[in-house]
Amino acid sequence: MVTLGDTALITAPTDRAAAVVRTALDGLPTTRLTDPATVTGLLPVSDTLGPATLAYLTPEDLRPPASTGTPTEQLPPGSRGAASPVGGGGRDRRGGERS
């Protein structure tokens, strides 16, 4: 769910779930849609995440921060380190089989 002013965009994984969400939340003002107690009282919610803030930056503000001069740890050549797959049941992040 994302709200901008008096408008809300709510997604659901299936048409059936969308119908349940639409029926439960139809007519609520956006201030109530972003209230976890309201939503969890109307829908079978297992977990919530947020709230988050949407922000826009100019291209000049998207530059990396200046170096602090503090060296960072480097992995030896050929080491996969953090790039190594963890779990996943034989599938990569894209859902395909791992070789």
Side-chain angles (χ1 to χ4, degrees):
M1 175 182 317
V2 175
T3 60
L4 294 171
D6 292 334
T7 304
L9 172 66
I10 303 170
T11 61
T14 65
D15 289 342
R16 183 172 177 239
V20 169
V21 170
R22 191 177 298 112
T23 299
L25 304 181
D26 188 41
L28 289 177
T30 54
T31 54
R32 300 267 322 273
L33 290 174
T34 56
D35 175 31
T38 298
V39 176
T40 56
L42 297 171
L43 291 168
V45 175
S46 62
D47 195 10
T48 59
L49 177 65
T53 301
L54 181 62
Y56 296 95
L57 298 173
T58 65
E60 295 78 30
D61 291 328
L62 293 174
R63 288 180 280 161
S67 172
T68 61
T70 305
T72 59
E73 180 182 334
Q74 289 186 326
L75 297 172
S79 172
R80 291 184 56 122
S84 297
V86 178
R91 296 200 173 269
D92 68 16
R93 278 195 247 167
R94 296 174 309 244
E97 293 293 326
R98 276 196 216 137
S99 2

